[in-house]
C-alpha cells in the first residue's frame, strides 16, 4: 500500500511537471532538449502557479554561463504570464561547481520510483498538500553521458530516510546550487 501511494504521487507529479517544463521552455524560448555539449537544468515546481529554472551550460567558446528564470502565472488570471531572467554568479569557479555535481552522482541518480523499495518500513508517509509540493526535475548532459531524474519534496524524503545514499546525493546537489548561487533557500 505504501509503495502504491508513492507511485501514485510520483506519476501525478511527472505529468504536472512535464507539462510545466514544456510550457516553461516555450515561454522562455528554450528548446526542450539540452542543446549545449555540457549543460545542467534544474526545474523547480512549487504548486500550480510558480516554477523556476536554474540553468548552467558551457557555450561553444568554453565559457560557463549560469542563468536563473522565474516563471509564474497570476493566480486569478491564467493568461497573465510573468517571467524573469537573471544571470547568476557563483561563489566558486563554475567548473568547480560542475565537478561537485558530478561528485554527487548527478549522471547516475534515478527517479524516486526506482528507489521506492528502499523507503519500505522507514517511517510514515506524511500526507502532502499538492499545492505545497516542491518538485525538482534535473537534466544533465556532457560530451559522453546524460541523465534525467525527478523527485518531489527531497528535503522531506531525506528527513524521513537519512541513510539512503540517493537522497543524500540529491540533497547535496541542491544544497550546492543553493549555496553557490543563492537561490532556493530553505
Amino acid at each position: 500500500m505504501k509503495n502504491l501511494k508513492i507511485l501514485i504521487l510520483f506519476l501525478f507529479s511527472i505529468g504536472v511537471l512535464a507539462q510545466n517544463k514544456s510550457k516553461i521552455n516555450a515561454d522562455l524560448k528554450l528548446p526542450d532538449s539540452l542543446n549545449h555539449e555540457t549543460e545542467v537544468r534544474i526545474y523547480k515546481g512549487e504548486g500550480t502557479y510558480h516554477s523556476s529554472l536554474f540553468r548552467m551550460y558551457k557555450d561553444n567558446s568554453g565559457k560557463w554561463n549560469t542563468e536563473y528564470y522565474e516563471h509564474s502565472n497570476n493566480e486569478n488570471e491564467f493568461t497573465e504570464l510573468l517571467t524573469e531572467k537573471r544571470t547568476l554568479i557563483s561563489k566558486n569557479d563554475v567548473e568547480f561547481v560542475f565537478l561537485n555535481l558530478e561528485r554527487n552522482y548527478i549522471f547516475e541518480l534515478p527517479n524516486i520510483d526506482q528507489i521506492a523499495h528502499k523507503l519500505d518500513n522507514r517511517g510514515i508517509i506524511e500526507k502532502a498538500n499538492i499545492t505545497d509540493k516542491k518538485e525538482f526535475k534535473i537534466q544533465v548532459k556532457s560530451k559522453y553521458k546524460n541523465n534525467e531524474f525527478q523527485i518531489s519534496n527531497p528535503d522531506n524524503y531525506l528527513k524521513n530516510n537519512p541513510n539512503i545514499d540517493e537522497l543524500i546525493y540529491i540533497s547535496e546537489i541542491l544544497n550546492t546550487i543553493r549555496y553557490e548561487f543563492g537561490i532556493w533557500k530553505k
Side-chain angles (χ1 to χ4, degrees), residues 34 105-111 138-142 145-149:
L34 304 182
Y105 303 102
I106 195 166
F107 285 103
E108 289 83 24
L109 287 169
N111 281 317
I138 299 174
Q139 295 177 291
V140 60
K141 175 183 169 189
S142 73
K145 50 190 169 179
N146 60 46
N147 191 25
E148 184 173 320
F149 59 95

Side-chain angles (χ1 to χ4, degrees), residues 58-130:
K58 199 182 281 191
D59 64 22
N60 293 336
S61 71
K63 178 182 177 265
W64 281 101
N65 297 277
T66 55
E67 303 166 342
Y68 180 69
Y69 300 86
E70 292 279 343
H71 181 273
S72 57
N73 288 319
N74 182 321
E75 293 182 24
N76 298 317
E77 284 291 323
F78 287 100
T79 56
E80 185 179 345
L81 172 68
L82 305 169
T83 61
E84 178 187 338
K85 176 184 174 183
R86 290 187 293 161
T87 300
L88 300 175
I89 298 172
S90 62
K91 292 183 180 184
N92 291 292
D93 180 69
V94 180
E95 186 73 32
F96 174 76
V97 174
F98 185 75
L99 291 174
N100 269 317
L101 300 179
E102 279 189 302
R103 182 182 64 88
N104 284 299
Y105 303 102
I106 195 166
F107 285 103
E108 289 83 24
L109 287 169
N111 281 317
I112 192 71
D113 67 327
Q114 294 172 302
I115 61 168
H117 65 282
K118 294 182 178 187
L119 305 176
D120 283 345
N121 303 318
R122 297 191 183 264
I124 347 172
I125 294 180
E126 297 174 9
K127 185 176 178 181
N129 182 343
I130 297 296

Side-chain angles (χ1 to χ4, degrees), residues 16 19-28 44-52 69-84:
V16 170
Q19 286 177 328
N20 286 346
K21 184 186 94 140
S22 290
K23 179 172 177 19
I24 292 167
N25 288 340
D27 291 342
L28 301 174
K44 180 184 180 192
E46 295 185 73
T48 308
Y49 305 108
H50 186 265
S51 55
S52 56
Y69 300 86
E70 292 279 343
H71 181 273
S72 57
N73 288 319
N74 182 321
E75 293 182 24
N76 298 317
E77 284 291 323
F78 287 100
T79 56
E80 185 179 345
L81 172 68
L82 305 169
T83 61
E84 178 187 338

